[in-house]
Amino acid sequence: MTGRQLVVSVAAATLGVATAIAGVAGQTDVAVGAIGLLLAGLLILVVDVRRRQGELARRLKRTAERQLHANRRLDRLQTLPRHVEAATQRSLAALTDEFQVAAGRIEAAGEGTLSGIAQERLAAAERHLELTERVDKVIADILGVSSGVASVRDGVSDTTDSVADLRREVIASLDEASKANKRRQVTLREHIDKLGYEPVRQVQALLQLRDRVTARAPLPPTGGWAMEPTAILRLLHLVEQSRPALVVECGSGASTVWLAYALESIGQGQLVALEHDERYAEQTRRALDEHGLSHVAEVRTAPLSEIDLDGQTFTWYDPGAVQDLKDIELLLVDGPPRASGPRARYPAVPLLGPRLAPGARVVLDDVDRPEEQEAAEAWLAETPGLAREASGTDRSAVLVYRPA
């Protein structure tokens, strides 16, 4: 109760006492006047209470407006998860409605007592405390979201680093591919350049071969599946240089006839050719007969069979066809054909190596192919005393066997 209201209340009480005394004393006029003053005081008291109620209503209204302003500010937090934003809006809307209802109730109460106003203010304070707690919770949720954003940022940073590493790897791979492509281009250019003069080299070698041999029948064609003239010329030179007593050839054909002529020309040596296909074997035998070389060269039919070497299975000539051979001084590896299986020519040295004579030469044809290159490297690594000779041709390699 305000001071003014207290004074009016005391005055009203005094007038009430005075009225009662005047009525008892029989002074009716005085009593009526006192009643009028009492009513006037009560009217003043009611008017003051109404005024106070109006001020309180306006304060509550301003409080509601501030809450609405806070609601609009919270609406700006659009980056929050939807469930947090929705919860905040519902809380603020409910609180605003409660404040508006409270203000309406105060205005409608009119002549309600001051105790009721105090209770409404207490309820409003409790609701304000509840709102504060909810806002604190919202702030905590915001901080949680901020922490999640930080985690996402860290994840994005890690992903960026991974992408950068992958980019460097891709660039390195592209550089390596570019270098490999340049190497292939250089190799292709060299091969194309070689094709320009290769026919001339082969013709020159063939002319030299015809000068060395007096053929008694038409000579079989060279090149293609058969050995090239340059490789045959190198073989004949090896025969004339080393004068081998025993020559073994893996495969048969034109090279068999030329080798037989070379052995005949030096007056010594025997040639044994292995052939897995009976048709080709018979064809080579007829060619040897036509040239009168059957006494120098022999063609043995040796069907292909599976051979086990250090736990690996290969397809090669039947080992029974070479059981009687020893002290081989020249070994020509020009078969079996590549179509017979992977690393088809590799078993030649592992199986015939123990039958080589000291100082023997091993000639491997078609070394421009990867499988033959791999076979030659394996022989050099696995056979003690076997070394590469500098001389050779583009398509053949010459190895020499010198055991310790």
Side-chain angles (χ1 to χ4, degrees):
M1 180 179 292
T2 64
R4 183 181 300 174
Q5 293 173 354
L6 181 60
V7 171
V8 172
S9 299
V10 172
T14 303
L15 287 174
V17 173
T19 301
I21 294 173
V24 172
Q27 297 179 358
T28 305
D29 294 337
V30 175
V32 171
I35 290 173
L37 291 174
L38 178 60
L39 292 175
L42 291 175
L43 179 61
I44 292 172
L45 179 61
V46 170
V47 170
D48 185 63
V49 170
R50 289 283 295 176
R51 184 179 62 80
R52 296 290 182 177
Q53 289 177 346
E55 291 178 357
L56 182 58
R58 285 190 296 274
R59 291 178 183 174
L60 292 175
K61 186 174 182 180
R62 284 194 298 271
T63 302
E65 291 176 350
R66 286 195 296 272
Q67 295 302 326
L68 287 175
H69 180 67
N71 185 27
R72 287 194 294 271
R73 291 181 62 187
L74 289 176
D75 287 341
R76 296 174 186 174
L77 300 175
Q78 296 179 355
T79 58
L80 294 177
R82 294 183 178 179
H83 65 278
V84 174
E85 183 179 357
T88 303
Q89 290 177 353
R90 286 195 299 270
S91 298
L92 290 175
L95 186 58
T96 301
D97 293 338
E98 290 175 0
F99 271 104
Q100 291 177 348
V101 170
R105 288 178 180 177
I106 292 173
E107 291 178 353
E111 297 179 0
T113 61
L114 293 175
S115 60
I117 295 173
Q119 291 177 357
E120 291 291 339
R121 292 182 65 182
L122 180 59
E126 292 175 351
R127 287 191 291 271
H128 179 71
L129 181 60
E130 182 181 358
L131 174 62
T132 302
E133 293 176 352
R134 291 182 180 179
V135 170
D136 290 340
K137 182 179 179 181
V138 169
I139 292 174
D141 291 339
I142 293 173
L143 293 176
V145 172
S146 300
S147 177
V149 170
S151 300
V152 171
R153 188 185 299 111
D154 293 339
V156 170
S157 177
D158 294 340
T159 303
T160 302
D161 294 340
S162 299
V163 170
D165 293 340
L166 179 61
R167 180 177 179 273
R168 286 192 291 270
E169 292 177 2
V170 170
I171 291 175
S173 298
L174 290 176
D175 290 342
E176 183 62 28
S178 177
K179 293 178 182 178
N181 186 46
K182 289 181 180 178
R183 289 194 295 268
R184 285 194 294 269
Q185 289 178 357
V186 171
T187 303
L188 180 61
R189 189 180 298 110
E190 292 175 350
H191 184 66
I192 292 174
D193 293 340
K194 177 183 174 182
L195 290 178
Y197 63 82
E198 184 64 18
V200 177
R201 292 179 63 244
Q202 298 301 332
V203 170
Q204 291 174 346
L206 185 59
L207 292 175
Q208 294 182 58
L209 286 172
R210 295 185 66 86
D211 291 340
R212 287 171 176 264
V213 173
T214 302
R216 294 185 284 270
L219 290 166
T222 59
W225 294 106
M227 291 185 70
E228 293 180 343
T230 53
I232 295 176
L233 183 62
R234 175 59 186 160
L235 275 176
L236 267 59
H237 178 71
L238 281 176
V239 169
E240 294 172 356
Q241 183 183 33
S242 61
R243 305 179 69 83
L246 177 60
V247 179
V248 175
E249 179 182 14
C250 297
S252 70
S255 57
T256 308
V257 176
W258 287 102
L259 281 172
Y261 267 121
L263 292 174
E264 185 184 55
S265 67
I266 64 174
Q268 68 176 50
Q270 188 72 24
L271 170 63
V272 176
L274 306 177
E275 178 59 60
H276 72 284
D277 192 318
E278 179 60 32
R279 293 175 302 168
Y280 289 115
E282 186 60 32
Q283 181 178 332
T284 304
R285 293 189 189 105
R286 285 198 302 268
L288 291 172
D289 290 339
E290 292 174 359
H291 288 270
L293 297 171
S294 298
H295 65 288
V296 178
E298 172 191 0
V299 180
R300 295 183 180 182
T301 302
L304 297 179
S305 60
E306 291 188 352
I307 306 296
D308 183 75
L309 295 174
D310 295 330
Q312 299 184 56
T313 301
F314 298 89
T315 301
W316 202 70
Y317 301 108
D318 182 7
V322 297
Q323 291 299 319
D324 60 326
L325 302 178
K326 61 180 180 179
D327 294 331
I328 301 170
E329 296 183 346
L330 177 60
L331 172 62
L332 171 60
V333 183
D334 193 23
R338 182 168 53 179
S340 62
R343 303 179 68 188
R345 299 181 181 180
Y346 167 75
V349 171
L351 291 176
L352 296 178
R355 303 177 184 277
L356 294 176
R361 263 71 172 188
V362 178
V363 179
L364 175 61
D365 195 31
D366 299 320
V367 291
D368 55 335
R369 300 190 307 208
E371 282 196 8
E372 277 66 20
Q373 294 174 7
E374 182 182 350
E377 295 300 328
W379 293 345
L380 291 169
E382 299 168 4
T383 308
L386 191 65
R388 191 187 300 271
E389 271 197 344
S391 60
T393 66
D394 294 336
R395 292 191 58 186
S396 64
V398 180
L399 311 178
V400 60
Y401 178 60
R402 295 190 179 96

